[in-house]
Amino acid sequence: MHTIKHQKARSLYPTFDRKAPGADVSHYCPGCGHGTVHNLIAEAIDDLGIQDRTIFCSPVGCSVFAYYYFDVGNIQCAHGRAPAVASAIRRTHEEAIVISYQGDGDLAGIGMSQIVHAANRGENITVFFINNAIYGMTGGQMAPTTILGQNTVTTPAGRLAANEGFPVGVAEIINSLQAPVFVERVSLAGPVKVMKARMAIRKALRNQVEKKGFSLVEILSPCPVNWKMTAVESRRWLENNLEPVFPVGNLRDLPKGPFDQVDKKKARISDRKILEILGVGEEEVHTGTVRLKEEQNFKIAGFGGQGVLSTGILLANCAIAEGLKTTWLPSYGAEMRGGTANASINISHETIGSPIVSFPNALMVMNLPSLDAFEDTVRPGGAIYVNSSLAPRKVRREDVTAYHIPASDIANDLGGIQCASVILLTVYALVSGAITIETLQKVIPLAIKRKNLVDLNMRAIEVGIAWHRENCPKEEKTTEV
Ligand SMILES: Cc1ncc(C[n+]2csc(CCOP(=O)(O)OP(=O)(O)O)c2C)c(N)n1
Ligand code: SF4
C-alpha cells in the first residue's frame, strides 16, 4: 500500500518556543494567511535543497517573527527596506538565496520606492508580497491595497477614491518595468488556489537558483481579525471582493532576464579601484602592516559641530587604508549643530557582524555630557580618551585606562579648535596601534579639501605625538594619565 507521510518542512523549526502568555499558540491569528505562506515557502526551500544558503529578510508587520519559524539565515529589516537589504546581501553573497517577505503596508506603503527600484535593477532576489488589504499588526488601518468601500479603522465609512485614491496594483506596477523575469498574483481563497500559490512560490525561488533575475509573487491573503470575520468568511470575502480588484494569474514569466546576472557582477568595481578613485594609490596603502591586538569597538561622542562624525569617518578611512575591515555608524541628536552626536567605528581583521557599538573598548569623549553618558559602557580593560578642556572631571572607573588631554585648549593655541579631535585620535592611534601615524598623515589630505585645515590637522598630529611621548611611557600600566 502506498503511504503518504505528512511532516513539517525541515526549513521550519520543529518547535516554536514562546514565553507565556501565548506559549502554546503561534504568533499568527487563526485563519491568517501568513502561516499558510510560511509553509509553502518552507516546503519549496526543502525541495530545492537551498536551506543552508537561504537568507530570509523579514519586514515590519505581522510576519516580523518569521525568524522564530524559519530555520534559515534571518535578518529583520527596517519598515519597507527589505528589498534594499536583500539587494545588498545578493551583491555580497553570491551563493545566497535571498527572500524578501513583505506585507502591503510594508511593501506598498512606506517601502514602495524600495521595491520599485530593486525590481527595476533586476536584482536576482525573490519577493513574496502578502496582500491582505490592511495593516494587520497595528490593528487594521487602511493600506495602499485596501479596496474601495472597505471598512478599516482609518476609513470607517469605507475607502473612497475621492479621499484616499484607488487601490494600488503592485503586481501590475512591477510588471510595467523592464527588468523583472517573473510576476504572478495568487490567492489563498481555497485549496486549489493554494496549490497554484505553491507552484508560483516554487517557480519564483527556482528562478533565483537559476540566476534568472527578479521574481515577485503577490499573494492575496486573509486577515480575519482585522477584517472582523471568521476564518471561513474571510476566505469567501477574499474570493468575492479582493480577487475582482486584484485579478489572479501570471503577468510575466520570461525564460531569462534582460541582462545576464554575470554581466552585472562584471560591472562592479574592485576595492582596489575604489581606493584608486579616492586617490589612495597602491603604493600608498599600508595593507597588512597593522596587526590588531584586539578588534576595536570604538565610540566617539560630543556636541554636533565638534567633528565627531567626520573624525569617525577619518578613522574608518584610515582603517580601510590599513587594509582592515571597518564600519562607521553615526547617531545624531535631535538638532544637528549643538546637539549631541556620536559615531561607532569597528575595526577588525575579520568580517564585522554589526556596526553597532554598545560596549566600546575605546571611547573618545569631546565633552562632559558624553563622558557622563558613556563612561559606564566601556568594557573593563578598555580606554577612555577625554577632551579634558571640556570634560574637566576625572574618569571614575578604575578598571579602564583614562587619557585626559586638554585637546580643545591645545587646538586653540594651534590656531583652530576644529583639530581637537585629531589630537585625541593621534593619541588613540599611538596607544592602540589600530592605525599608523603615517596612514593618518596620508588620509587627512584626502579627506579634508581645504589646505589650511590640512595644515592645521597635520600640526595637531605632531602635538598629539608629543603629548603621547611625554605622558605615556612605553611600559606605562597605570589606570590614569
Ligand atoms: C518606521 C515605522 N513606521 C511605522 C511602524 C508601525 N508599523 C508596524 S507594523 C505596520 C504595518 C504593517 O502592515 P503590513 O505591512 O500590511 O503587514 P501585516 O501586519 O498586515 O502583515 C506599521 C505601520 C513601524 N514599526 N516602523
Ligand atoms: S492581524 Fe491579520 S495579518 Fe496579523 S496575524 Fe492576525 S490575521 Fe494575520
Coordinates of all heavy atoms in Angstrom, one line a residue, residues 9-41:
A9 N 8.0 20.9 7.2 CA 9.1 21.1 6.4 C 10.4 21.3 7.3 O 10.3 21.8 8.4 CB 8.9 22.4 5.6
R10 N 11.5 20.8 6.8 CA 12.7 20.9 7.6 C 13.2 22.3 7.8 O 13.9 22.6 8.7 CB 13.9 20.1 6.9 CG 13.7 18.6 6.9 CD 15.0 17.9 6.3 NE 15.2 18.4 5.0 CZ 14.6 18.0 3.9 NH1 13.6 17.1 4.0 NH2 14.9 18.5 2.7
S11 N 12.8 23.2 6.9 CA 13.2 24.6 6.9 C 12.4 25.3 8.0 O 12.7 26.5 8.2 CB 13.0 25.2 5.6 OG 13.7 24.5 4.6
L12 N 11.5 24.7 8.6 CA 10.8 25.3 9.8 C 11.4 24.7 11.1 O 11.6 23.4 11.1 CB 9.3 25.1 9.7 CG 8.6 25.8 8.6 CD1 7.1 25.4 8.6 CD2 8.7 27.4 8.7
Y13 N 11.6 25.4 12.1 CA 12.0 24.8 13.4 C 11.0 23.8 13.8 O 9.7 24.0 13.7 CB 12.2 25.9 14.4 CG 13.4 26.8 14.2 CD1 13.2 28.1 13.9 CD2 14.7 26.3 14.3 CE1 14.3 28.9 13.7 CE2 15.8 27.1 14.1 CZ 15.6 28.4 13.8 OH 16.7 29.2 13.6
P14 N 11.4 22.7 14.5 CA 10.4 21.7 14.9 C 9.5 22.3 16.0 O 8.3 21.8 16.1 CB 11.3 20.6 15.4 CG 12.7 21.1 15.5 CD 12.8 22.3 14.7
T15 N 10.0 23.1 16.8 CA 9.1 23.7 17.9 C 9.2 25.2 17.9 O 10.2 25.8 17.5 CB 9.5 23.2 19.3 OG1 10.9 23.5 19.5 CG2 9.3 21.7 19.5
F16 N 8.1 25.9 18.3 CA 8.2 27.4 18.3 C 8.1 27.7 19.8 O 7.0 27.8 20.4 CB 6.9 27.9 17.6 CG 6.7 27.4 16.2 CD1 5.5 27.0 15.8 CD2 7.8 27.3 15.4 CE1 5.3 26.6 14.5 CE2 7.7 26.8 14.1 CZ 6.4 26.5 13.6
D17 N 9.2 27.9 20.4 CA 9.2 28.2 21.9 C 8.9 29.7 22.1 O 9.5 30.6 21.6 CB 10.6 27.9 22.5 CG 10.9 26.4 22.3 OD1 9.9 25.6 22.4 OD2 12.0 26.0 22.2
R18 N 7.8 29.9 22.9 CA 7.4 31.2 23.2 C 7.2 31.3 24.7 O 6.8 30.3 25.4 CB 6.1 31.6 22.5 CG 6.2 31.7 21.1 CD 4.8 32.2 20.5 NE 4.6 33.6 20.9 CZ 3.4 34.3 20.7 NH1 2.4 33.6 20.2 NH2 3.3 35.5 21.0
K19 N 7.3 32.5 25.2 CA 7.0 32.7 26.7 C 5.5 32.9 26.9 O 4.8 33.3 25.9 CB 7.7 34.0 27.2 CG 9.2 34.0 27.1 CD 9.8 35.2 27.9 CE 11.3 35.3 27.5 NZ 11.5 36.4 26.6
A20 N 5.0 32.6 28.0 CA 3.6 32.8 28.4 C 3.4 34.3 28.5 O 4.3 35.1 28.8 CB 3.3 32.1 29.7
P21 N 2.2 34.9 28.2 CA 1.1 34.2 27.6 C 1.3 34.0 26.1 O 2.0 34.8 25.5 CB -0.1 35.1 27.9 CG 0.6 36.5 27.9 CD 2.0 36.3 28.4
G22 N 0.7 32.9 25.6 CA 0.9 32.7 24.2 C 1.9 31.5 23.9 O 2.3 31.3 22.8
A23 N 2.3 30.9 25.1 CA 3.3 29.8 24.9 C 2.8 28.7 24.0 O 3.6 28.0 23.4 CB 3.7 29.3 26.3
D24 N 1.5 28.5 24.0 CA 1.0 27.3 23.2 C 0.3 27.7 21.9 O -0.4 26.9 21.3 CB 0.0 26.5 24.1 CG -1.0 27.4 24.8 OD1 -0.9 28.7 24.5 OD2 -1.9 26.9 25.5
V25 N 0.5 28.9 21.4 CA 0.0 29.3 20.1 C 1.1 30.0 19.3 O 2.1 30.4 19.8 CB -1.2 30.3 20.3 CG1 -2.4 29.6 20.9 CG2 -0.8 31.5 21.0
S26 N 0.8 30.1 18.0 CA 1.8 30.7 17.1 C 1.5 32.2 17.2 O 0.6 32.7 17.8 CB 1.7 30.2 15.7 OG 0.8 31.0 15.0
H27 N 2.4 33.0 16.5 CA 2.2 34.5 16.5 C 1.0 34.9 15.7 O 0.5 36.0 15.8 CB 3.4 35.2 16.0 CG 4.6 35.1 16.9 ND1 5.5 34.1 16.9 CD2 5.0 35.9 17.9 CE1 6.4 34.2 17.8 NE2 6.1 35.3 18.4
Y28 N 0.5 34.0 14.8 CA -0.5 34.4 13.8 C -1.9 34.0 14.3 O -2.1 33.0 15.0 CB -0.2 33.7 12.5 CG 1.2 34.1 12.0 CD1 2.1 33.1 11.7 CD2 1.5 35.4 11.8 CE1 3.4 33.5 11.3 CE2 2.8 35.8 11.4 CZ 3.7 34.8 11.1 OH 5.0 35.2 10.7
C29 N -2.9 34.9 14.0 CA -4.3 34.7 14.4 C -4.8 33.4 13.7 O -4.3 33.1 12.6 CB -5.1 35.8 14.0 SG -4.5 37.4 14.6
P30 N -5.8 32.8 14.2 CA -6.4 31.7 13.5 C -6.9 32.1 12.1 O -7.6 33.2 12.0 CB -7.6 31.3 14.4 CG -7.3 31.8 15.7 CD -6.5 33.0 15.5
G31 N -6.6 31.4 11.1 CA -7.1 31.7 9.8 C -6.2 32.7 9.0 O -6.5 33.0 7.9
C32 N -5.2 33.2 9.6 CA -4.3 34.1 9.0 C -3.5 33.5 7.8 O -3.1 32.3 7.9 CB -3.2 34.7 10.0 SG -2.0 35.7 9.2
G33 N -3.3 34.2 6.7 CA -2.6 33.6 5.6 C -1.1 33.5 5.8 O -0.5 32.7 5.1
H34 N -0.5 34.2 6.7 CA 0.9 34.2 6.8 C 1.4 32.8 7.1 O 2.4 32.3 6.5 CB 1.4 35.1 8.0 CG 1.5 36.5 7.6 ND1 2.3 37.0 6.6 CD2 0.9 37.7 8.2 CE1 2.2 38.3 6.5 NE2 1.4 38.7 7.5
G35 N 0.7 32.0 8.0 CA 1.1 30.7 8.3 C 1.1 29.8 7.1 O 2.1 29.0 6.9
T36 N 0.1 29.9 6.3 CA 0.0 29.1 5.0 C 1.2 29.4 4.1 O 1.8 28.5 3.6 CB -1.3 29.4 4.3 OG1 -2.4 29.4 5.2 CG2 -1.6 28.5 3.1
V37 N 1.5 30.7 3.9 CA 2.5 31.0 3.0 C 3.9 30.6 3.6 O 4.8 30.1 2.9 CB 2.6 32.6 2.8 CG1 3.7 32.9 1.8 CG2 1.2 33.0 2.2
H38 N 4.1 30.7 4.9 CA 5.3 30.2 5.5 C 5.5 28.7 5.2 O 6.6 28.3 4.8 CB 5.2 30.3 7.1 CG 5.5 31.7 7.6 ND1 5.4 32.9 6.8 CD2 5.9 32.1 8.8 CE1 5.7 33.9 7.6 NE2 6.0 33.5 8.8
N39 N 4.4 28.0 5.3 CA 4.6 26.5 5.0 C 5.0 26.3 3.5 O 5.8 25.5 3.2 CB 3.2 25.8 5.2 CG 3.2 25.3 6.6 OD1 4.1 24.7 7.1 ND2 2.1 25.5 7.3
L40 N 4.3 27.1 2.6 CA 4.6 26.9 1.2 C 6.0 27.2 0.9 O 6.7 26.5 0.1 CB 3.6 27.7 0.3 CG 2.1 27.4 0.5 CD1 1.3 28.3 -0.4 CD2 1.8 25.9 0.1
I41 N 6.5 28.3 1.5 CA 7.9 28.7 1.2 C 8.9 27.7 1.8 O 9.8 27.3 1.1 CB 8.2 30.1 1.8 CG1 7.3 31.2 1.1 CG2 9.7 30.5 1.7 CD1 7.4 32.6 1.8

